Amino acid sequence: MLSLRERALLGGVATGAISVAVGTLAVLSYINSRVSDQFDSNLRDRHTQLVVGLSVTTDNPDALQDLMFDPAYGTPYSGRYWQVTNGRDEVFTSASLFDETIAEPVVATASATFWNTTGPEGEALRSIYQEISYEDGTVWGVSVAESRNELIAERRAAQRSLLPVFTLVGLIGVAGSLLLMSAIMGPLRKLRTDVAHRWDTDEGLKPDDYPDEVSPLVDDLNKLSRRNRDIVSGSRRQTADLAHALKTPTAILRNELSSLAEHGATIDTAQEALDRIDAQLSRSLARMRAMNTAELSHSRADLSNSVDRLSRLFSRMAERDGKELEVIRQKNLWVRMDPQDIEEVLGNLMDNAVKWCRQTVRVSAMAKRNSIEIHIEDDGPGIPEDDRREALRSGGRLDTSVAGTGLGLAIAVDLLNAYGAKLDLGRSKVLGGLECRVVINSIHKKPSK
């Protein structure tokens, strides 16, 4: 299906072409009519000149040669001729006719008659004929003719002079169509831009900023946006209710396992299974929350504040084990993510780093040209390149010597994917262990107060 831009362009070009074509035909028809009228007017003037000249030479028509001053009348077959006849079948002609004559209308009239006839050597002529009665009682048929080639040449000359003009008019029409298309598409482009950047502000689109034809669409978009936010809000409430409902049974199970352990029962297998249940529930709830939030809400997170808060928490954990957490981050880093989601991602990654490092963990958050990158590095054993895909797989554990469910990285990947972000695993060039690189493209400006 053609786009609106293509439709407007094709419609404008087609309308312009039709308008120019119709205008050209109309103007050319008018020009042809005007040229013909002018041609006939000149014929009538020469006919009047001949009639006046004949009025003083009725007794000696040969003297007309000296009264008709146009040099073309003296040049054989010049294309310009005159002829007079009387009732005695006498014919007097201009020298340009040589030995030829001009045909006269079959039905003679007292008024001037224009008609097309043939002349010397079949030449197409335009002729004017009239019977004139003079005071001496004589009646003469007076004819003046001119080659129609002159008429055709004048018409073609007029057409050739107009063609560049109409070509220019056509080009102006196409340019006008392009400008008109641009003017019409302007509000739609503005609407597209405003919708694309709708997350930059909590305010809806303003119908008054658009033409009357687009305003109803803007109202509908605002209603749809509000409805989506309501759906998201309801989904998040349901997710929170589900999480709360599941926490109580798992807490009871943990208490029961602790009670059994106090009576000497072996609970390692059950404890691990319960941990995995908790982790799977956390992952499912996180995915559900992210899917209902990432594209439908105005969520914003102060990444700088989240990094600081988590760093304080994990610094205390690292200090208890004699380890060190270094933090390097820029100020005023904002991302279009729910704060709970980004903190769950960073919490899982920092927890793994503190758990597996030998001595040092480094966290850095920096703004790039079109994204924000977060690097979490450690000096631990790292993950071989061939095993990194397995580490990101749901429940993939490469080493069971350290407690865990193996779902931390998978949860982080799920949450990041929901927001169009990504997680890459590599080797730290500084510390030599694992490097987790998070790239978030949904940069958000700090909200104005």
Side-chain angles (χ1 to χ4, degrees):
M1 181 178 292
L2 293 177
S3 66
L4 292 178
R5 183 187 301 275
E6 292 171 335
R7 293 182 183 187
L9 179 59
L10 291 177
V13 171
T15 302
I18 293 174
S19 300
V20 169
V22 172
T24 300
L25 291 176
V27 172
L28 289 180
S29 175
Y30 173 76
I31 292 297
N32 289 340
S33 176
R34 290 289 296 173
V35 170
S36 297
D37 291 344
Q38 184 63 39
F39 191 85
D40 289 347
S41 178
N42 293 336
L43 273 180
R44 184 183 294 277
D45 290 342
R46 288 193 290 273
H47 183 268
T48 300
Q49 182 183 6
L50 181 60
V51 169
V52 172
L54 182 59
S55 66
V56 297
T57 59
T58 53
D59 56 343
N60 184 22
D62 289 331
L64 283 173
Q65 297 283 358
D66 299 327
L67 297 178
M68 303 303 291
F69 302 111
D70 193 332
Y73 289 139
T75 304
Y77 307 142
S78 64
R80 186 168 293 180
Y81 316 103
W82 60 260
Q83 172 182 292
V84 294
T85 59
N86 57 24
R88 299 188 296 272
D89 294 329
E90 294 177 323
V91 180
F92 304 89
T93 65
S94 62
S96 55
L97 275 172
F98 206 52
D99 293 331
E100 301 287 340
T101 59
I102 301 173
E104 296 178 345
V106 176
V107 179
T109 62
S111 60
T113 302
F114 288 95
W115 69 308
N116 297 328
T117 184
T118 56
E121 300 181 347
E123 183 179 16
L125 299 178
R126 177 74 169 167
S127 176
I128 178 174
Y129 174 82
Q130 185 179 10
E131 285 190 348
I132 304 294
S133 298
Y134 289 97
E135 294 179 353
D136 60 1
T138 58
V139 178
W140 293 83
V142 180
S143 298
V144 173
E146 188 168 349
S147 174
R148 292 175 59 200
N149 292 334
E150 294 293 330
L151 175 60
I152 295 172
E154 289 185 22
R155 288 177 177 174
R156 289 178 178 175
Q159 293 172 0
R160 283 195 299 269
S161 64
L162 286 175
L163 285 178
V165 175
F166 282 107
T167 301
L168 179 60
V169 171
L171 293 176
I172 293 175
V174 172
S177 298
L178 293 175
L179 292 176
L180 179 62
M181 178 195 66
S182 179
I184 293 175
M185 295 298 293
L188 296 180
R189 287 195 298 269
K190 174 177 168 35
L191 177 60
R192 179 180 179 183
T193 301
D194 291 346
V195 170
H197 295 286
R198 66 194 183 281
W199 307 122
D200 292 340
T201 175
D202 288 333
E203 299 179 357
L205 302 175
K206 298 179 180 179
D208 293 341
D209 292 342
Y210 304 90
D212 294 340
E213 294 79 6
V214 183
S215 293
L217 176 61
V218 176
D219 285 330
D220 291 340
L221 289 175
N222 285 333
K223 293 177 182 178
L224 180 61
S225 179
R226 288 193 293 270
R227 182 178 180 184
N228 286 339
R229 285 198 295 270
D230 292 341
I231 292 173
V232 170
S233 178
S235 298
R236 291 183 67 84
R237 286 196 300 270
Q238 293 177 5
T239 302
D241 293 342
L242 179 60
H244 180 73
L246 292 173
K247 284 180 180 179
T248 301
T250 56
I252 294 174
L253 288 175
R254 288 189 186 281
N255 290 334
E256 292 296 325
L257 289 176
S258 297
S259 178
L260 291 174
E262 291 176 357
H263 291 82
T266 302
I267 63 170
D268 293 344
T269 303
Q271 185 72 43
E272 182 180 353
L274 184 57
D275 289 341
R276 292 185 65 81
I277 290 174
D278 278 344
Q280 286 286 5
L281 288 174
S282 297
R283 184 191 185 193
S284 298
L285 292 172
R287 292 178 65 183
M288 186 184 306
R289 185 176 66 248
M291 289 175 62
N292 289 328
T293 304
E295 295 297 334
L296 297 177
S297 72
H298 294 270
S299 300
R300 293 174 298 198
D302 185 348
L303 182 62
S304 301
N305 181 64
S306 295
V307 170
D308 290 342
R309 196 158 63 83
L310 292 172
S311 297
R312 288 192 294 269
L313 172 64
F314 284 99
S315 290
R316 290 193 293 269
M317 295 174 57
E319 288 174 0
R320 288 197 301 266
D321 297 332
K323 299 176 181 180
E324 181 184 6
L325 178 64
E326 300 176 1
V327 179
I328 304 173
R329 58 91 177 156
Q330 291 180 347
K331 296 180 179 180
N332 297 324
L333 296 178
W334 288 78
V335 293
R336 186 169 61 82
M337 293 183 65
D338 183 78
Q340 184 178 350
D341 292 338
I342 187 60
E343 290 185 6
E344 184 161 357
V345 170
L346 297 179
N348 280 327
L349 298 180
M350 293 171 72
D351 181 57
N352 281 341
V354 171
K355 186 184 299 182
W356 287 96
C357 76
R358 294 188 177 92
Q359 182 65 35
T360 305
V361 174
R362 174 178 293 178
V363 178
S364 61
M366 300 292 175
K368 301 296 182 180
R369 182 176 181 182
N370 294 312
S371 64
I372 290 178
E373 291 190 9
I374 307 167
H375 296 260
I376 300 175
E377 309 169 69
D378 63 66
D379 59 356
I383 300 177
E385 185 175 355
D386 295 339
D387 295 333
R388 290 169 189 166
R389 179 175 296 181
E390 175 67 16
L392 296 175
R393 186 178 61 84
S394 174
R397 298 185 64 193
L398 303 179
D399 190 344
T400 59
S401 63
V402 178
T405 62
L407 290 172
L409 290 177
I411 292 174
V413 170
D414 290 338
L415 288 171
L416 291 172
N417 286 343
Y419 290 95
K422 66 179 181 178
L423 170 64
D424 294 327
L425 301 182
R427 179 166 294 277
S428 172
K429 297 179 180 179
V430 178
L431 301 179
L434 180 66
E435 178 185 26
C436 297
R437 175 173 169 265
V438 177
V439 180
I440 304 174
N441 294 319
S442 53
I443 301 175
H444 199 291
K445 296 180 180 179
K446 181 179 179 180
S448 57
K449 295 182 181 181

